[in-house]
Amino acid sequence: MSTVNFGTIFNFAEEMEGLDREFYVAAADNPACATYGELFASLAANCKKNIANAQRTRRECVTEMILEPISGLDLASFAQAPADAKTLDAAGALAEAQRLEERAGQFYASAAQRIKALPEGAQGLKTSGKLRARNLKALEAV
């Protein structure tokens, strides 16, 4: 398990959200997933919101504490890239979306716990985690 810092966590969140957004955009455009096109488009929009949230939180929390090492967070365990949505059928895309939402939720909860000494940063992570939890509920309702 490596030691990371505040900036690394938010860079990782931004990258994860970007990759997930690409998956959702591709799934929304996939003819095999047309039934769920609106849902995937909505999930892509939520990823875009979380990217903006990560960028805003990182900008607003510029303090001396940003370089403070944060231990106990293994980013590699959350770094599984999304599948290629263009090759999936609707059921496969929904299953992959659920996996992405669960992974992101776990990342945000774990990261927020690790940086609780930086309350503004932890709150930004919790906000993104709540949005991902809503996404998961929407997927489970399908």
Side-chain angles (χ1 to χ4, degrees):
M1 208 171 294
S2 63
T3 301
V4 297
N5 63 36
F6 183 93
T8 305
I9 290 173
F10 283 90
N11 288 340
F12 180 85
E14 190 175 342
E15 183 178 322
M16 178 185 68
E17 292 291 347
L19 291 172
D20 290 358
R21 182 176 182 279
E22 288 174 14
F23 171 83
Y24 291 133
V25 167
D29 291 340
N30 182 343
C33 303
T35 306
Y36 304 108
E38 282 186 37
L39 173 61
F40 289 128
S42 171
L43 296 174
N46 287 342
C47 286
K48 191 172 182 179
K49 288 178 187 177
N50 278 346
I51 290 170
N53 181 45
Q55 292 170 340
R56 182 179 58 253
T57 302
R58 185 174 44 232
R59 268 192 319 269
E60 291 175 357
C61 294
V62 175
T63 66
E64 296 170 12
M65 296 293 291
I66 289 177
L67 298 177
E68 188 73 24
I70 298 164
S71 60
L73 182 63
D74 183 16
L75 296 179
S77 65
F78 302 106
Q80 308 92 6
D84 183 0
K86 296 173 191 168
T87 64
L88 299 175
D89 62 5
L94 289 171
E96 179 65 2
Q98 187 167 350
R99 182 188 74 81
L100 295 176
E101 295 304 323
E102 289 170 350
R103 180 217 48 202
Q106 291 167 355
F107 163 72
Y108 286 121
S110 183
Q113 178 65 26
R114 297 287 183 231
I115 67 167
K116 63 184 176 185
L118 304 167
E120 298 86 4
Q123 185 56 45
L125 293 168
K126 288 176 186 176
T127 298
S128 291
K130 287 177 186 176
L131 187 54
R132 288 297 201 132
R134 280 185 278 180
N135 289 350
L136 184 57
K137 286 185 186 210
L139 285 165
E140 291 171 344
V142 172

